[in-house]
Amino acid sequence: MATTPDPRLLPHEVAQWARGAGLPLDPGRLDLVTATANHIRSVIAVLRDLDLDVDPDLDPAEGVPVPAHPARGAEGRDDAAV
């Protein structure tokens, strides 16, 4: 039976990515940064699984149709005159 590879980052991988980005990590912070990176990855994985197919005619901030929003024009763009 094949096993799924562990998606968690390992400390040496985090250190390598940080160095590659020009952000070398102090060894004393590596475990904390690794835990944080893994937490962020798990949150992103959950977000990717959510159905976020939102109606494009709704203003996500208020849940009202875009043309009805007082600061939007008929095409749903911001109205600079308002």
Side-chain angles (χ1 to χ4, degrees), residues 11 14 25-40:
V14 172
L25 293 173
D26 178 73
R29 298 193 64 215
L30 187 55
D31 288 339
L32 178 61
V33 173
T34 300
T36 302
N38 282 317
H39 179 72
I40 291 169

Side-chain angles (χ1 to χ4, degrees), residues 10-75:
L10 299 174
H12 74 275
E13 294 171 315
V14 172
Q16 182 179 5
W17 285 24
R19 276 192 308 276
L23 302 167
L25 293 173
D26 178 73
R29 298 193 64 215
L30 187 55
D31 288 339
L32 178 61
V33 173
T34 300
T36 302
N38 282 317
H39 179 72
I40 291 169
R41 286 173 57 114
S42 69
V43 170
I44 290 171
V46 170
L47 291 174
R48 285 184 176 146
D49 289 340
L50 294 177
D51 180 14
L52 298 176
D53 187 24
V54 178
D55 184 346
D57 291 331
L58 292 181
D59 181 338
E62 298 183 27
V64 297
V66 175
H69 192 287
R72 306 236 182 225
E75 293 83 31

